[in-house]
Amino acid sequence: MFMNALLSGLTLGGVYALVAMGLTIQYGVSRSLNLGYGEFLIGAAFAVYVLFGALGISPYLLALVVVPVAFGLSWLIYRVMLTPILRRARTPVALEIDSLLLTFGLLFAMMGIMLLVFGSNYTSYTYLSVPVRILDATVALNRLVSFGAAVVVGALAFAFLMRTRTGMALRAVAVDPVGAQLVGIDVKWAAGLAFAIGGAIAALGGVLISTYMTFTAEMGVVFTMKALIVVIMAGVGHVVGALLVGLALGLIEAFVAAYLDPGLTVAVIYAVFLLALIVRPVGIFGRAVR
Protein backbone atom coordinates (compact mmCIF):
# COMPACT_ATOMS: atom_id res chain seq x y z
CA MET A 1 0.00 0.00 0.00
CA PHE A 2 2.85 2.39 0.83
CA MET A 3 4.46 2.11 -2.61
CA ASN A 4 1.11 2.46 -4.37
CA ALA A 5 0.37 5.63 -2.39
CA LEU A 6 3.88 6.96 -3.01
CA LEU A 7 3.73 6.44 -6.77
CA SER A 8 0.19 7.79 -6.99
CA GLY A 9 1.19 10.86 -4.97
CA LEU A 10 4.27 11.54 -7.08
CA THR A 11 2.42 11.25 -10.38
CA LEU A 12 -0.43 13.48 -9.18
CA GLY A 13 1.91 15.89 -7.43
CA GLY A 14 4.03 16.25 -10.56
CA VAL A 15 1.06 17.62 -12.50
CA TYR A 16 0.03 19.83 -9.54
CA ALA A 17 3.55 21.22 -9.43
CA LEU A 18 3.56 21.92 -13.16
CA VAL A 19 0.17 23.65 -13.09
CA ALA A 20 1.09 25.71 -10.02
CA MET A 21 4.33 26.78 -11.66
CA GLY A 22 2.33 28.22 -14.56
CA LEU A 23 0.13 30.24 -12.20
CA THR A 24 3.22 31.40 -10.29
CA ILE A 25 4.77 32.73 -13.50
CA GLN A 26 1.50 34.41 -14.53
CA TYR A 27 0.80 36.13 -11.24
CA GLY A 28 4.38 36.80 -10.23
CA VAL A 29 5.18 38.77 -13.39
CA SER A 30 1.87 40.24 -14.57
CA ARG A 31 0.46 40.93 -11.07
CA SER A 32 -2.87 39.72 -12.48
CA LEU A 33 -4.48 36.89 -10.52
CA ASN A 34 -6.21 34.72 -13.13
CA LEU A 35 -9.21 32.97 -11.58
CA GLY A 36 -9.97 31.45 -14.97
CA TYR A 37 -6.66 29.61 -14.95
CA GLY A 38 -8.15 26.16 -14.37
CA GLU A 39 -10.55 26.62 -17.29
CA PHE A 40 -7.58 26.54 -19.66
CA LEU A 41 -6.62 23.20 -18.15
CA ILE A 42 -10.11 21.73 -18.57
CA GLY A 43 -10.51 23.31 -21.99
CA ALA A 44 -7.31 21.62 -23.15
CA ALA A 45 -8.51 18.30 -21.71
CA PHE A 46 -11.74 18.55 -23.70
CA ALA A 47 -9.88 19.61 -26.85
CA VAL A 48 -7.62 16.56 -26.66
CA TYR A 49 -10.61 14.34 -25.90
CA VAL A 50 -12.37 15.52 -29.08
CA LEU A 51 -9.28 15.40 -31.30
CA PHE A 52 -8.19 12.00 -30.01
CA GLY A 53 -11.65 10.59 -30.66
CA ALA A 54 -11.81 12.07 -34.14
CA LEU A 55 -8.24 11.53 -35.34
CA GLY A 56 -6.85 8.80 -33.11
CA ILE A 57 -3.58 10.71 -32.67
CA SER A 58 -1.65 10.37 -29.42
CA PRO A 59 -2.70 13.01 -26.84
CA TYR A 60 0.96 13.80 -26.27
CA LEU A 61 1.36 14.67 -29.95
CA LEU A 62 -1.87 16.66 -29.87
CA ALA A 63 -0.26 18.75 -27.11
CA LEU A 64 1.98 20.20 -29.83
CA VAL A 65 -1.17 21.84 -31.23
CA VAL A 66 -3.22 22.50 -28.10
CA VAL A 67 -0.44 24.13 -26.05
CA PRO A 68 0.54 26.77 -28.67
CA VAL A 69 -3.16 27.60 -29.14
CA ALA A 70 -3.50 28.14 -25.38
CA PHE A 71 -0.37 30.30 -25.46
CA GLY A 72 -1.83 32.51 -28.19
CA LEU A 73 -5.26 32.69 -26.57
CA SER A 74 -3.75 33.65 -23.20
CA TRP A 75 -1.65 36.35 -24.82
CA LEU A 76 -4.74 37.68 -26.62
CA ILE A 77 -6.75 37.76 -23.40
CA TYR A 78 -4.01 39.71 -21.68
CA ARG A 79 -3.65 42.22 -24.52
CA VAL A 80 -7.38 42.74 -25.11
CA MET A 81 -8.86 42.38 -21.62
CA LEU A 82 -6.13 43.01 -19.05
CA THR A 83 -4.02 45.71 -20.73
CA PRO A 84 -6.81 48.34 -20.44
CA ILE A 85 -7.06 47.53 -16.73
CA LEU A 86 -3.30 47.96 -16.42
CA ARG A 87 -3.50 51.41 -17.98
CA ARG A 88 -6.21 52.70 -15.65
CA ALA A 89 -5.00 51.07 -12.42
CA ARG A 90 -3.32 53.69 -10.25
CA THR A 91 -1.86 51.30 -7.71
CA PRO A 92 -0.71 47.65 -7.73
CA VAL A 93 -3.56 46.81 -5.34
CA ALA A 94 -6.11 48.31 -7.73
CA LEU A 95 -4.63 46.26 -10.58
CA GLU A 96 -4.93 43.03 -8.60
CA ILE A 97 -8.53 43.74 -7.58
CA ASP A 98 -9.61 44.68 -11.12
CA SER A 99 -7.91 41.65 -12.67
CA LEU A 100 -9.47 39.44 -10.00
CA LEU A 101 -12.96 40.65 -10.89
CA LEU A 102 -12.37 40.41 -14.63
CA THR A 103 -10.96 36.88 -14.56
CA PHE A 104 -13.77 35.85 -12.20
CA GLY A 105 -16.14 36.73 -15.03
CA LEU A 106 -13.84 34.98 -17.51
CA LEU A 107 -14.06 31.82 -15.40
CA PHE A 108 -17.85 31.67 -15.70
CA ALA A 109 -17.81 32.62 -19.38
CA MET A 110 -15.43 29.77 -20.26
CA MET A 111 -17.24 27.34 -17.98
CA GLY A 112 -20.57 28.28 -19.55
CA ILE A 113 -19.25 27.68 -23.06
CA MET A 114 -17.90 24.25 -22.10
CA LEU A 115 -21.15 23.34 -20.35
CA LEU A 116 -23.08 24.36 -23.44
CA VAL A 117 -20.87 22.27 -25.74
CA PHE A 118 -20.03 19.24 -23.60
CA GLY A 119 -22.68 19.24 -20.87
CA SER A 120 -22.04 18.50 -17.20
CA ASN A 121 -21.35 14.77 -17.49
CA TYR A 122 -18.06 13.21 -16.48
CA THR A 123 -15.77 12.65 -19.46
CA SER A 124 -12.81 10.33 -19.96
CA TYR A 125 -11.01 8.25 -22.55
CA THR A 126 -8.52 5.41 -22.45
CA TYR A 127 -4.90 5.86 -23.49
CA LEU A 128 -1.84 3.93 -22.29
CA SER A 129 -3.77 2.53 -19.32
CA VAL A 130 -1.34 -0.37 -19.17
CA PRO A 131 -0.34 -1.54 -15.67
CA VAL A 132 3.36 -1.29 -14.88
CA ARG A 133 4.91 -3.14 -11.95
CA ILE A 134 7.43 -1.16 -9.86
CA LEU A 135 8.75 -3.08 -6.85
CA ASP A 136 5.58 -4.25 -5.06
CA ALA A 137 3.31 -1.58 -6.54
CA THR A 138 1.35 -1.24 -9.75
CA VAL A 139 0.85 2.06 -11.58
CA ALA A 140 -0.68 2.87 -14.97
CA LEU A 141 1.73 3.74 -17.76
CA ASN A 142 -0.18 6.93 -18.62
CA ARG A 143 0.47 8.24 -15.10
CA LEU A 144 4.18 7.50 -15.39
CA VAL A 145 4.43 9.19 -18.79
CA SER A 146 2.53 12.21 -17.48
CA PHE A 147 4.82 12.45 -14.47
CA GLY A 148 7.89 12.21 -16.70
CA ALA A 149 6.52 14.89 -19.03
CA ALA A 150 5.74 17.17 -16.07
CA VAL A 151 9.29 16.75 -14.72
CA VAL A 152 10.89 17.46 -18.10
CA VAL A 153 8.73 20.51 -18.84
CA GLY A 154 9.20 21.82 -15.32
CA ALA A 155 12.98 21.50 -15.66
CA LEU A 156 12.94 23.22 -19.06
CA ALA A 157 10.78 26.07 -17.72
CA PHE A 158 13.12 26.47 -14.75
CA ALA A 159 16.16 26.53 -17.05
CA PHE A 160 14.40 29.10 -19.26
CA LEU A 161 13.76 31.38 -16.30
CA MET A 162 17.22 31.00 -14.80
CA ARG A 163 19.53 30.68 -17.82
CA THR A 164 18.12 32.88 -20.60
CA ARG A 165 18.01 36.64 -21.03
CA THR A 166 14.26 36.55 -21.52
CA GLY A 167 13.82 34.49 -18.37
CA MET A 168 15.98 36.92 -16.40
CA ALA A 169 13.86 39.79 -17.72
CA LEU A 170 10.71 38.06 -16.47
CA ARG A 171 12.29 37.50 -13.07
CA ALA A 172 13.37 41.14 -12.90
CA VAL A 173 9.81 42.31 -13.59
CA ALA A 174 8.49 39.91 -10.95
CA VAL A 175 10.89 41.33 -8.34
CA ASP A 176 10.66 45.04 -9.19
CA PRO A 177 8.59 46.26 -12.19
CA VAL A 178 9.69 49.88 -11.77
CA GLY A 179 13.38 48.99 -11.55
CA ALA A 180 13.06 46.64 -14.52
CA GLN A 181 11.56 49.43 -16.61
CA LEU A 182 14.41 51.75 -15.64
CA VAL A 183 16.96 49.31 -17.08
CA GLY A 184 15.14 49.06 -20.41
CA ILE A 185 12.84 46.06 -19.94
CA ASP A 186 9.41 46.37 -21.57
CA VAL A 187 7.25 45.52 -18.57
CA LYS A 188 3.99 45.22 -20.55
CA TRP A 189 5.64 42.82 -23.01
CA ALA A 190 7.09 40.74 -20.17
CA ALA A 191 3.73 40.59 -18.38
CA GLY A 192 1.96 39.49 -21.56
CA LEU A 193 4.59 36.82 -22.24
CA ALA A 194 4.35 35.49 -18.67
CA PHE A 195 0.56 35.36 -18.88
CA ALA A 196 0.79 33.43 -22.16
CA ILE A 197 3.39 31.00 -20.76
CA GLY A 198 1.17 30.33 -17.76
CA GLY A 199 -1.81 29.57 -20.00
CA ALA A 200 0.30 27.20 -22.10
CA ILE A 201 1.51 25.34 -19.00
CA ALA A 202 -2.08 25.02 -17.74
CA ALA A 203 -3.10 23.56 -21.11
CA LEU A 204 -0.24 21.05 -20.94
CA GLY A 205 -1.42 20.02 -17.49
CA GLY A 206 -4.88 19.47 -18.95
CA VAL A 207 -3.49 17.25 -21.69
CA LEU A 208 -1.59 15.16 -19.15
CA ILE A 209 -4.40 14.62 -16.67
CA SER A 210 -6.92 13.87 -19.43
CA THR A 211 -5.13 10.58 -20.13
CA TYR A 212 -5.96 9.10 -16.71
CA MET A 213 -8.53 11.27 -14.93
CA THR A 214 -12.23 11.85 -15.47
CA PHE A 215 -13.17 15.51 -15.80
CA THR A 216 -16.16 17.80 -16.24
CA ALA A 217 -16.70 21.32 -17.51
CA GLU A 218 -17.07 22.50 -13.91
CA MET A 219 -13.76 21.13 -12.59
CA GLY A 220 -11.60 24.07 -13.66
CA VAL A 221 -12.23 25.96 -10.43
CA VAL A 222 -10.96 22.95 -8.45
CA PHE A 223 -7.58 23.08 -10.20
CA THR A 224 -7.48 26.87 -9.86
CA MET A 225 -7.94 26.58 -6.11
CA LYS A 226 -5.31 23.86 -5.78
CA ALA A 227 -2.85 25.89 -7.84
CA LEU A 228 -3.58 28.94 -5.65
CA ILE A 229 -2.99 26.90 -2.51
CA VAL A 230 0.38 25.76 -3.84
CA VAL A 231 1.39 29.28 -4.96
CA ILE A 232 0.44 30.89 -1.64
CA MET A 233 2.00 28.14 0.46
CA ALA A 234 5.25 28.29 -1.52
CA GLY A 235 5.40 32.08 -1.68
CA VAL A 236 4.18 34.15 -4.62
CA GLY A 237 6.68 34.10 -7.48
CA HIS A 238 8.85 31.30 -6.06
CA VAL A 239 9.04 28.77 -8.91
CA VAL A 240 11.10 26.09 -7.15
CA GLY A 241 8.91 26.40 -4.08
CA ALA A 242 5.79 25.86 -6.19
CA LEU A 243 7.31 22.70 -7.66
CA LEU A 244 8.19 21.29 -4.24
CA VAL A 245 4.88 22.21 -2.59
CA GLY A 246 2.96 20.82 -5.59
CA LEU A 247 4.69 17.47 -5.16
CA ALA A 248 3.99 17.54 -1.42
CA LEU A 249 0.32 18.29 -2.08
CA GLY A 250 0.00 15.25 -4.35
CA LEU A 251 1.69 13.03 -1.77
CA ILE A 252 -0.59 14.28 1.01
CA GLU A 253 -3.68 13.54 -1.09
CA ALA A 254 -2.46 10.05 -1.95
CA PHE A 255 -1.49 9.04 1.60
CA VAL A 256 -4.65 10.46 3.17
CA ALA A 257 -6.76 8.57 0.61
CA ALA A 258 -4.81 5.36 1.18
CA TYR A 259 -4.52 5.34 4.97
CA LEU A 260 -7.45 7.45 6.20
CA ASP A 261 -10.39 8.20 3.91
CA PRO A 262 -10.56 9.62 0.35
CA GLY A 263 -13.29 11.98 1.58
CA LEU A 264 -10.83 13.62 4.00
CA THR A 265 -8.28 14.72 1.38
CA VAL A 266 -9.79 18.18 0.89
CA ALA A 267 -10.12 18.79 4.64
CA VAL A 268 -6.52 17.73 5.32
CA ILE A 269 -5.13 19.85 2.47
CA TYR A 270 -6.95 22.95 3.70
CA ALA A 271 -5.82 22.25 7.26
CA VAL A 272 -2.19 22.06 6.09
CA PHE A 273 -2.75 25.23 4.06
CA LEU A 274 -4.10 27.15 7.07
CA LEU A 275 -1.29 25.87 9.29
CA ALA A 276 1.31 26.98 6.74
CA LEU A 277 -0.26 30.46 6.59
CA ILE A 278 -0.23 30.76 10.38
CA VAL A 279 3.41 29.71 10.65
CA ARG A 280 4.67 31.46 7.47
CA PRO A 281 2.21 34.14 6.27
CA VAL A 282 4.51 35.06 3.34
CA GLY A 283 4.82 31.44 2.23
CA ILE A 284 7.23 28.65 3.09
CA PHE A 285 9.86 29.95 0.66
CA GLY A 286 8.69 33.57 0.56
CA ARG A 287 10.46 36.55 2.02
CA ALA A 288 8.81 39.27 4.04
CA VAL A 289 8.87 42.73 2.46
CA ARG A 290 10.60 45.27 4.71
Side-chain angles (χ1 to χ4, degrees):
M1 181 179 288
F2 175 82
M3 281 301 300
N4 278 325
L6 179 62
L7 290 174
S8 177
L10 286 175
T11 53
L12 185 60
V15 176
Y16 283 170
L18 182 68
V19 173
M21 182 181 67
L23 186 60
T24 295
I25 294 172
Q26 264 194 359
Y27 181 49
V29 179
S30 70
R31 298 298 196 278
S32 299
L33 184 56
N34 182 12
L35 291 183
Y37 184 75
E39 306 310 312
F40 281 87
L41 185 148
I42 296 299
F46 273 115
V48 170
Y49 165 75
V50 171
L51 292 173
F52 176 71
L55 304 176
I57 300 174
S58 168
Y60 304 120
L61 292 178
L62 290 173
L64 299 176
V65 175
V66 173
V67 171
V69 170
F71 179 94
L73 183 60
S74 298
W75 181 87
L76 187 64
I77 287 173
Y78 184 84
R79 296 295 298 176
V80 174
M81 300 176 66
L82 290 171
T83 299
I85 290 177
L86 180 63
R87 292 197 191 102
R88 79 183 186 198
R90 297 185 177 182
T91 64
V93 174
L95 173 61
E96 292 189 14
I97 293 174
D98 288 347
S99 65
L100 193 71
L101 294 174
L102 188 147
T103 57
F104 188 62
L106 179 65
L107 182 160
F108 285 103
M110 295 179 68
M111 183 189 298
I113 292 172
M114 286 188 286
L115 281 171
L116 181 64
V117 176
F118 301 104
S120 59
N121 296 327
Y122 281 91
T123 302
S124 65
Y125 62 92
T126 302
Y127 185 76
L128 290 185
S129 56
V130 180
V132 177
R133 191 76 178 172
I134 299 178
L135 297 179
D136 60 343
T138 302
V139 63
L141 180 59
N142 49 22
R143 286 179 173 267
L144 290 177
V145 173
S146 296
F147 174 70
V151 170
V152 170
V153 173
L156 290 175
F158 179 77
F160 166 74
L161 290 172
M162 297 297 173
R163 303 295 181 185
T164 66
R165 292 179 62 88
T166 302
M168 287 188 285
L170 295 182
R171 286 163 49 211
V173 174
V175 173
D176 187 355
V178 176
Q181 193 167 16
L182 291 175
V183 296
I185 298 173
D186 188 338
V187 174
K188 293 180 181 179
W189 167 85
L193 177 61
F195 203 86
I197 290 173
I201 291 175
L204 178 62
V207 173
L208 296 178
I209 68 162
S210 72
T211 61
Y212 62 84
M213 186 181 293
T214 57
F215 50 91
T216 71
E218 299 170 305
M219 280 183 63
V221 66
V222 174
F223 287 98
T224 300
M225 290 304 299
K226 287 184 178 180
L228 276 174
I229 288 173
V230 173
V231 169
I232 295 171
M233 282 183 64
V236 175
H238 203 291
V239 176
V240 176
L243 294 174
L244 294 176
V245 174
L247 281 172
L249 186 70
L251 288 169
I252 290 171
E253 280 198 23
F255 279 100
V256 169
Y259 288 96
L260 296 177
D261 189 326
L264 292 176
T265 55
V266 175
V268 172
I269 286 172
Y270 278 101
V272 172
F273 174 55
L274 291 174
L275 179 62
L277 283 183
I278 292 171
V279 176
R280 290 281 298 174
V282 297
I284 297 172
F285 301 95
R287 294 181 181 180
V289 178
R290 298 181 181 276

